[in-house]
């Protein structure tokens, strides 16, 4: 079953080199980064918070790039995505290097070894890793950009899905009259328009098959893909070609969609992911806020539906969320799964927010306090002597 990652526990690093000192520049790469970041932070894809999507445009050093990659790999608990667009270099041993702005042909030491990224992902804590490489594999900046047929095998990381553009020429990588590079342009178009007669969620397996068809139809090189441990089931976004038109053409007779794959709560790790998946439930149902209210039998109003889906903290009680899920048409068994996730998250947030009791430590008196005390005691003894003489 295809799943979308929890946005609160997911990180993305988008790396792109569009300007080179010694290689052919690729202006379209900068457009790739901007558009892909907008897609990943949008509601129909991963809905990542802005701070969870890092853009590195023309990074000056490999160390700078790796710092961002390592941080993302360490912070992500659900999914980490690493994307690179630019030139690729291959040394005589067949190792892949990603070209930085100062990279030179046949000088792989001026690039970023892909094995560094691979090792950072292996050392990370994310359940799933995605690597998207929109680059050539040859050491040449112009002319052919082919490489070893097993290069995708070399780049694969255990537990990941690797999607690579096998561009053979500069024109295939970045057509001069197009806004985006050829490979990323097709990827973005798929997210924006969907796959006709495709699945409800565009998982990486479906995306790869669709890109092969689209790129082949345009006479462009076939992409490569490698799947490890069911990484192909991870979804990049909703298929807009089969998305219910909730705003204008709701489901027939106001009934929720049947036979659909409801968003699973099993992968939710954060409060943000909880509300993102709740919103996906209504999208899947094909119902408007008003229709959800009607189907709840008056238990929740349209305004309550809106407020529930736009909360930043978990509701302290369960009935409203349960009524919302049932009204959307979610089966009772899955409602029970949602309740278990809500209980776990509520317990976690309550524990984190609980104040920690710190024992009070006896503070030493300051110099001024000691002097004041001495004077007070001295004056007290003087008053006692005067009282005794009377």
């Amino acid at each position: 079953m295809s799943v979308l990652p929890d946005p609160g526990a997911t990180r993305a690093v988008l790396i792109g080199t569009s300007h080179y000192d010694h290689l052919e520049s690729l202006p379209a790469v900068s457009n790739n980064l901007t558009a892909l970041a907008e897609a990943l932070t949008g509601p129909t894809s991963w809905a990542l918070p802005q701070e969870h999507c890092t853009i590195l445009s023309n990074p000056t050093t490999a160390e700078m790039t790796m710092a961002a990659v390592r941080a993302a790999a360490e912070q992500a608990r659900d999914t980490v995505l690493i994307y690179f667009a630019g030139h690729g270099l291959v040394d005589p041993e067949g190792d892949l290097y990603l070209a930085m702005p100062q990279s030179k042909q046949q000088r792989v030491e001026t690039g970023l070894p892909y094995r560094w990224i691979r090792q950072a992902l292996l050392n990370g804590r994310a359940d799933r890793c995605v690597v998207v490489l929109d680059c050539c594999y040859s050491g040449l900046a112009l002319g052919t950009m082919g490489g070893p047929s097993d290069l995708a095998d070399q780049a694969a990381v255990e537990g990941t899905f690797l999607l690579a553009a096998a561009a053979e020429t500069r024109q295939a990588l970045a057509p001069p009259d197009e806004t985006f590079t050829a490979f990323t342009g097709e990827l973005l178009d798929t997210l924006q328009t969907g796959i006709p007669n495709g699945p409800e969620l565009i998982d990486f397996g479906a995306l790869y098959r669709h890109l092969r068809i689209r790129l082949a139809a345009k006479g462009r090189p076939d992409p490569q893909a490698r799947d490890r441990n069911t990484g192909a089931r991870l979804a990049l976004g909703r298929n807009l070609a089969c998305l219910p038109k909730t705003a204008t053409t709701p489901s027939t007779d106001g009934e929720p969609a049947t036979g659909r794959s409801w968003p699973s709560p099993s992968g939710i790790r954060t409060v943000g992911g909880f509300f993102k998946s709740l919103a996906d439930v209504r999208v899947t149902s094909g119902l408007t806020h008003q229709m959800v209210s009607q189907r709840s039998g008056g238990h929740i109003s349209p305004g309550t539906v809106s407020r529930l889906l736009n909360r930043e903290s978990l509701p302290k009680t369960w009935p409203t969320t349960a009524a919302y899920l049932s009204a959307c048409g979610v089966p009772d068994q899955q409602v029970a799964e949602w309740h278990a996730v809500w209980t776990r998250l509520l317990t976690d947030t309550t524990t984190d927010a609980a104040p920690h009791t710190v024992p009070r430590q006896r503070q030493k008196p300051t110099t001024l306090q000691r002097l004041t005390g001495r004077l007070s005691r001295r004056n007290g003894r003087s008053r006692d002597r005067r009282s005794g003489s009377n």
Side-chain angles (χ1 to χ4, degrees), residues 244-256:
K245 298 180 175 59
T246 58
T248 56
T249 56
S251 303
T252 304
D253 298 327
E255 291 296 321

Side-chain angles (χ1 to χ4, degrees), residues 303-318:
T304 300
V305 175
S306 178
R307 288 190 294 273
L308 174 65
L309 300 183
N310 288 282
R311 290 178 63 103
E312 295 182 356
S313 60
L314 287 173
K316 301 303 181 184
T317 58
W318 174 247

Side-chain angles (χ1 to χ4, degrees), residues 69-389:
V69 171
R70 290 194 184 95
E74 292 170 0
Q75 294 167 6
R77 296 295 180 274
D78 189 312
T79 301
V80 59
L81 180 148
I82 306 299
Y83 168 91
F84 174 80
H87 288 302
L89 307 174
V90 180
D91 69 8
E93 286 73 36
D95 290 331
L96 172 65
Y97 288 74
L98 309 181
M100 300 285 100
Q102 292 79 32
S103 293
K104 298 179 180 180
Q105 294 183 29
Q106 319 246 332
R107 298 287 182 86
V108 292
E109 70 274 11
T110 61
L112 169 63
Y114 177 79
R115 66 178 180 274
W116 291 3
I117 293 179
R118 182 178 187 275
Q119 192 60 48
L121 295 178
L122 289 172
N123 293 337
R125 293 184 283 182
D127 289 342
R128 292 173 292 234
C129 301
V130 178
V131 179
V132 180
L133 300 176
D134 188 353
C135 64
C136 52
Y137 297 135
S138 170
L140 299 177
L142 301 175
T144 60
M145 293 187 180
S149 60
D150 62 343
L151 191 58
D153 287 317
Q154 172 221 140
V157 178
E158 196 67 32
T160 75
F161 189 88
L162 169 71
L163 186 58
E168 297 174 350
T169 65
R170 183 185 67 83
Q171 288 74 22
L173 177 65
D177 57 343
E178 296 184 17
T179 304
F180 308 108
T181 59
F183 173 78
T184 299
E186 291 295 342
L187 186 153
L188 291 168
D189 184 69
T190 302
L191 287 178
Q192 293 167 359
T193 63
I195 302 175
N197 302 315
E200 297 169 38
L201 294 178
I202 301 177
D203 59 42
F204 278 93
L207 176 64
Y208 167 63
R209 292 188 293 271
H210 183 68
L211 290 179
R212 281 182 62 91
I213 295 172
R214 292 289 299 271
L215 290 168
K218 296 182 178 181
R220 294 175 176 176
D222 292 337
Q224 300 181 59
R226 292 295 183 273
D227 171 26
R228 300 288 179 88
N229 296 343
T230 67
R233 297 180 185 175
L234 177 66
L236 187 58
R238 293 199 157 275
N239 187 358
L240 298 188
C242 68
L243 202 63
K245 298 180 175 59
T246 58
T248 56
T249 56
S251 303
T252 304
D253 298 327
E255 291 296 321
T258 57
R260 286 190 173 274
S261 301
W262 297 101
S264 172
S266 60
I268 296 175
R269 291 171 170 79
T270 65
V271 174
F274 182 84
F275 288 114
K276 170 62 168 60
S277 293
L278 270 187
D280 285 343
V281 166
R282 188 194 65 79
V283 173
T284 301
S285 73
L287 301 174
T288 64
H289 290 195
Q290 180 69 39
M291 294 165 65
V292 172
S293 174
Q294 292 173 354
R295 288 185 51 79
S296 74
H299 286 89
I300 50 177
S301 66
T304 300
V305 175
S306 178
R307 288 190 294 273
L308 174 65
L309 300 183
N310 288 282
R311 290 178 63 103
E312 295 182 356
S313 60
L314 287 173
K316 301 303 181 184
T317 58
W318 174 247
T320 298
T321 307
Y324 163 80
L325 290 168
S326 297
C328 287
V330 176
D332 291 343
Q333 180 180 355
Q334 287 196 27
V335 173
E337 294 175 5
W338 278 93
H339 182 245
V341 171
W342 170 80
T343 301
R344 171 174 55 80
L345 290 174
L346 189 64
T347 301
D348 292 344
T349 54
T350 302
T351 302
D352 293 341
H356 298 284
T357 303
V358 180
R360 294 186 61 185
Q361 295 182 351
R362 185 175 180 180
Q363 295 182 344
K364 295 182 179 180
T366 64
T367 302
L368 179 60
Q369 289 173 334
R370 290 196 297 270
L371 291 174
T372 302
R374 290 173 185 172
L375 289 174
S376 297
R377 290 193 295 272
R378 186 178 302 169
N379 291 336
R381 288 195 294 270
S382 299
R383 287 195 297 272
D384 292 340
R385 286 195 295 269
R386 287 196 297 271
S387 299
S389 62

